[in-house]
Amino acid sequence: MKNKKFIVDAKKEDRKKRGDFVSVILLSENYGYRMKSYGPMSLLSVDKSSLIEKQINVIKSFFINYEVIVCCGFEAKKTIDFLKENYKNDSLRIVENQIYSNSNSCESARLCINNTMNHKILVLYGDLVITKNMLSQIDFSRNCVLTQDENKHNNYCISVVEHKNNLKNLCIGGKSNFWMDCLYLSGEESILKFTSIVNNIEYKNKFLFEAVNELIKNTNIKVCKNQGHSIFKVNNIKSLKDYISNENSNSRK
């Protein structure tokens, strides 16, 4: 008789590590700083593909059960047409924030969250160059945010104040421990609390970190620190060029 003591179903173990069905929200409604002429941020060309292609392909390769909800705004039709043409067979939905120029990330998050019944939601800003290593740093068993100390391009502007790995405040102007524009919410209670905050008309013009600061008044959020490579944001011309240069350098090694 075979000894099955150490036999593990790889797929089940993978599912356990990566969590159950996850709704991944990409807030891609804006254009980069002084980059309006470049078109939607989601369609920026990064290393022979668009930014949103890289994001979705990493999500598809990392998660087992997932859906992607993309919020578009600026030149929305270009993004919508691109997604419909290239991802029509994928688990992907599109939400349009028609008032993106007169609202902020809380409104975009509200629109997306109201379009899913799931209780495991990962919210990511659309200018992040997502990697599998980045996603692996997230604790999918509880509410959490992701941080890193590096800020080479000075485009992470929100810092994290924490105590014993629990989030105490997100603030502007800190010098370290930067929030990587990544929020994971787990559980019906946390989702309902967050939804009630962003549904408030007062939050239509507020940033996502402001809603998170309101949420932590009665909800615990863990702080997870990125231990891998520095995560890029391509929200201005310099960071876009630096990312492309970095990728070209790595490909020559």
Side-chain angles (χ1 to χ4, degrees), residues 67-215:
E67 64 177 353
V68 180
I69 305 174
V70 179
C71 183
C72 54
F74 174 64
E75 295 188 357
K77 189 177 185 305
K78 290 183 180 179
T79 300
I80 293 170
D81 289 346
F82 177 84
L83 293 174
K84 284 184 175 180
E85 180 180 351
N86 293 278
Y87 295 97
K88 58 186 176 183
N89 297 320
D90 288 276
S91 182
L92 184 145
R93 294 205 304 282
I94 304 167
V95 174
E96 183 180 357
N97 180 357
Q98 293 184 323
I99 60 169
Y100 73 93
S101 60
N102 295 308
S103 62
N104 223 310
S105 48
C106 277
E107 174 64 7
S108 296
R110 181 188 73 84
L111 292 170
C112 293
I113 290 174
N114 284 343
N115 270 273
T116 180
M117 300 294 289
N118 193 20
H119 296 143
K120 290 181 178 292
I121 298 176
L122 176 62
V123 184
L124 300 167
Y125 273 47
D127 53 10
L128 287 170
V129 181
I130 303 167
T131 65
K132 292 178 70 173
N133 181 267
M134 170 190 170
L135 295 177
S136 69
Q137 311 286 328
I138 299 170
D139 184 350
F140 289 100
S141 68
R142 56 183 295 184
N143 302 323
C144 69
V145 294
L146 195 58
T147 70
Q148 71 178 17
D149 286 328
E150 280 192 335
N151 191 20
K152 294 179 180 178
H153 310 286
N154 295 317
N155 52 5
Y156 287 104
C157 59
I158 307 298
S159 290
V160 170
V161 178
E162 62 176 293
H163 179 66
K164 295 182 178 179
N165 294 324
N166 286 319
L167 178 63
K168 293 302 176 184
N169 192 40
L170 293 174
C171 59
I172 298 175
K175 302 299 182 182
S176 62
N177 206 20
F178 296 96
W179 180 44
M180 296 170 57
D181 298 339
C182 168
L183 170 68
Y184 179 69
L185 296 174
S186 178
E188 182 177 9
E189 183 179 357
S190 296
I191 299 293
L192 288 175
K193 286 179 180 178
F194 187 77
T195 302
S196 68
I197 293 170
V198 294
N199 276 339
N200 189 320
I201 191 67
E202 294 180 1
Y203 278 81
K204 188 173 293 292
N205 290 303
K206 291 191 176 185
F207 293 98
L208 191 64
F209 82 91
E210 295 178 276
V212 175
N213 278 339
E214 182 65 25
L215 180 65

Side-chain angles (χ1 to χ4, degrees), residues 40-51:
M41 187 183 302
S42 56
L43 301 183
L44 288 176
S45 179
V46 288
D47 194 25
K48 299 180 181 180
S49 66
S50 67
L51 177 57

